[in-house]
Amino acid sequence: MSFAGPIILGHQLAFRQKQTTVNMDKEADETALVGPVDGKFCYKKRMDGSVDKSMVVCKLCNKEFAYHRSTSSLKYHLNAKHIAASVDVSPTATTRTHTQPTLHQMTGLRTRITKSTSEKITNGLAHWIALDCRPLGVVKDKGLQNVLQIASSDITYELPCRKTVTKRVQQLYDNEKEDKENLLGKAEGVALTGDHWTSRTITVCLADSGFTATLAKCRKIVGHFKHSPSNTEELHKEQTQLEQDKESLIQDVSTRWNSTLFMISRLLKNKEAVNVTLAKQKHKLTMLPTAEWDRLQRLETLLKPCRYVTELLGGETYVSCSVVLPALRHLTHTMEVSDDDPAYVVRFKGDFKKDLSQCQDTLNHGWLRVATALDPRFKDLKCLPRAEGEGVWTSIEALLRIEPNRANLEPTEEPARKRSLLLFNSDSESEDEEGPNRALARYRAEPTISETDCPLQRWSTHEGAHPQLSALARKFLGSPATSVPCERLFSLAETCEDCEKASIIVCNVLAQAGFKASKEKLQWVQPKIMYLGAANNNLSSTALAFFQQSIEEYGFPLRSCTFNSLTEKIVACLVTPNME
């Protein structure tokens, strides 16, 4: 009898049972490793075979993440790195939805922007053009359109046309104009001012003074360094050896006396470096002797107070109207002749005081005196003779009688009969019965404030104690001392030194010896200019053709400048933005 068959059958059954057990253990291990986000992540398995549920691994890229029962960072990873897999992630782990991703989901691009968003972009472009003085032709730039397409995730977005942007800029102007008109309508007063202090006095005095010859020598010395980079480099070496800052000399402008002061100050500061550098060079300059260096020092002392007063009266972020009389008094005191002054200084001071006196005759002294008295910093009126002080307070008292009492204009809910009963047989005077004399007396009795304090803030905090005086002070102190702030605004609008707010275009490139300029050879100026063309001839008709072309496209040039080199000459024009 043979037992081979039953033995083989038993081994097969045992093997199948063992294989089933292994498969069950393997499925159990895989089930234990299934992680969050619909199984897109699995738990990390340690070296000893245990499961670390504080770490998960992305099944798509095997990147490890810390897991603290929050799937926000895991979903963000899927959306950023695996867009196709992220669409399968369902809100719960129990239900799975397998949907085909859309084209926008696969490419990461959204649908076309809405009409409201397009309108916002158009309004933003118009505001940018108006705010930064950009030319309207910028809407034709392909690079700008590419930037906006990337920012909006809409590759079909197109920039608005020039006509549309022009209308939006005009709407911005009309809205801004209306707002300013409304503000002016609510204003308590409007000030029209002119120049109370002008540089004419100093310019006249410098033109006919004992400093003329010395200043001419200084201009030649400065020009020696300004016109030669090698001379400037030698000066910088001497400044380094003397442990001074590397700074170039300043050339003055004959019509700008403050530039003369800057030239003198820079020369005096670098006196030793200039003398040492010139001593090592061959030149035909006339050196300044010690007496003329001393003369420059005296001129700097005379001009510094003038510069301080000019900058003080030309400010626009603080009260300046009440500073005119104290500032002019300070200048008059500075120009008093002393026993140590040489003859040329005495003559300069005399001419200065004479011309300054003529300028003061045209001032509105009545307005300036009231403004000075209403400024808590200068209400002691030390800048005026004592005999004129009481007259100023008399003028303010008359103005207070004309100015309506704002305390009486405020509505009250208290019945008039009850108020009369409360005030019946009262021994003290009411606030309404206080006359201008008492109001001025209380204001004059208060201490003066520091020169660094703002008088308008002072009146704002004391408006309850002085309702009429505060209104009068705002009217007088709100006037600017000079027209410099307005002129500064016009200068910014007419002459824009920033190349980002203007267009510099090349009108003509004239070559020498048959040399033809190429666009690649103008890379050094391309960030600042727009290249139009080149010519290999020296004909005036060619230059005129390029110039007319630039005018037709960009408008008439505001200024022109010339770049010279050994091989080519570039004539560039600074053109104002064409806002038509």
Side-chain angles (χ1 to χ4, degrees), residues 393-429:
W393 296 113
T394 303
S395 302
I396 296 178
E397 181 180 351
L399 291 173
L400 288 177
R401 296 184 185 279
I402 301 175
E403 186 75 14
N405 192 343
R406 297 183 178 276
N408 294 338
L409 296 179
E410 295 180 358
T412 176
E413 298 180 358
E414 186 178 12
R417 182 174 180 81
K418 292 184 178 180
R419 181 176 176 82
S420 62
L421 291 176
L422 293 175
L423 298 178
F424 184 70
N425 290 333
S426 176
D427 294 333
S428 61
E429 296 182 359

Side-chain angles (χ1 to χ4, degrees), residues 3 26 48 115 227 246 333 342 409 437 513 544:
F3 297 95
K26 186 176 181 180
D48 57 357
K115 185 177 180 180
H227 298 158
K246 288 185 179 182
H333 178 73
L409 296 179
N437 289 330
L544 182 60

Side-chain angles (χ1 to χ4, degrees), residues 52-333:
D52 184 6
K53 292 192 176 184
S54 63
M55 296 291 296
V56 293
V57 181
C58 177
K59 290 185 177 181
L60 301 175
C61 61
N62 294 328
K63 187 174 181 180
E64 297 183 359
F65 297 90
Y67 178 64
H68 303 288
R69 297 185 179 181
S70 176
T71 60
S72 300
S73 60
L74 306 182
K75 292 179 180 179
Y76 178 82
H77 170 71
L78 291 177
N79 293 330
K81 301 298 182 180
H82 314 291
I83 300 178
S86 63
V87 298
D88 296 336
V89 179
S90 59
T92 60
T94 56
T95 60
R96 296 185 179 182
T97 57
H98 298 279
T99 58
Q100 183 178 1
T102 62
L103 179 61
H104 298 292
Q105 291 173 338
M106 293 295 296
T107 59
L109 298 176
R110 298 195 300 268
T111 57
R112 297 189 61 177
I113 59 176
T114 60
K115 185 177 180 180
S116 61
T117 305
S118 179
E119 288 292 319
K120 291 180 180 179
I121 294 177
T122 303
N123 294 333
L125 284 172
H127 185 266
W128 168 53
I129 290 174
L131 182 65
D132 293 339
C133 300
R134 301 299 302 172
L136 290 174
V138 74
V139 295
K140 298 180 181 179
D141 293 350
K142 297 297 182 181
L144 178 60
Q145 179 170 306
N146 187 28
V147 170
L148 293 178
Q149 288 177 352
I150 296 175
S152 61
S153 299
D154 183 6
I155 59 175
T156 62
Y157 174 79
E158 294 183 358
L159 287 171
C161 63
R162 184 190 184 101
K163 186 177 180 180
T164 300
V165 176
T166 302
K167 291 182 179 179
R168 300 298 172 88
V169 173
Q170 184 64 37
Q171 290 176 1
L172 289 175
Y173 169 78
D174 295 337
N175 295 336
E176 190 69 20
K177 181 180 178 181
E178 183 179 358
D179 293 341
K180 293 300 183 288
E181 289 178 349
N182 293 334
L183 289 176
L184 289 176
K186 299 177 182 178
E188 299 177 1
V190 179
L192 300 177
T193 184
D195 278 330
H196 294 159
W197 162 252
T198 174
S199 60
R200 172 182 172 273
T201 301
I202 305 176
T203 305
V204 171
C205 295
L206 286 176
D208 185 18
S209 64
F211 302 101
T212 306
T214 305
L215 291 176
K217 294 179 182 179
C218 292
R219 294 185 182 102
K220 291 183 179 181
I221 293 176
V222 174
H224 174 75
F225 291 98
K226 297 290 289 185
H227 298 158
S228 175
S230 60
N231 294 340
T232 303
E233 184 63 26
E234 293 181 12
L235 177 62
H236 289 168
K237 290 180 181 179
E238 295 296 335
Q239 291 172 341
T240 303
Q241 292 180 1
L242 295 174
E243 297 182 354
Q244 296 179 351
D245 296 333
K246 288 185 179 182
E247 49 188 9
S248 302
L249 301 181
I250 301 176
Q251 186 66 274
D252 73 331
V253 182
S254 58
T255 58
R256 300 291 181 182
W257 67 266
N258 53 351
S259 65
T260 304
L261 174 60
F262 297 150
M263 179 185 68
I264 295 171
S265 301
R266 187 63 59 85
L267 274 174
L268 291 172
K269 183 179 179 181
N270 297 274
K271 172 184 175 180
E272 185 175 356
V274 170
N275 288 333
V276 173
T277 305
L278 291 178
K280 296 179 180 180
Q281 296 176 348
K282 293 182 180 181
H283 55 80
K284 297 181 180 180
L285 298 174
T286 303
M287 301 294 294
L288 295 177
T290 305
E292 292 190 335
W293 282 109
D294 180 67
R295 183 169 296 192
L296 290 179
Q297 188 69 54
R298 290 180 180 273
L299 181 58
E300 183 188 27
T301 304
L302 292 172
L303 295 182
K304 275 187 175 180
C306 300
R307 177 196 172 191
Y308 168 75
V309 172
T310 303
E311 295 178 351
L312 181 65
L313 299 186
E316 55 184 324
T317 59
Y318 50 85
V319 175
S320 58
C321 185
S322 59
V323 188
V324 175
L325 295 181
L328 296 180
R329 177 60 181 171
H330 171 71
L331 279 181
T332 304
H333 178 73

Side-chain angles (χ1 to χ4, degrees), residues 540-574:
S540 59
S541 58
T542 305
L544 182 60
F546 282 124
F547 187 72
Q548 290 178 344
Q549 178 183 354
S550 64
I551 291 179
E552 292 175 358
E553 187 169 358
Y554 299 100
F556 196 82
L558 179 65
R559 65 168 67 168
S560 63
C561 55
T562 303
F563 299 91
N564 292 315
S565 64
L566 296 177
T567 57
E568 58 191 10
K569 178 190 295 183
I570 303 173
V571 181
C573 295
L574 181 64

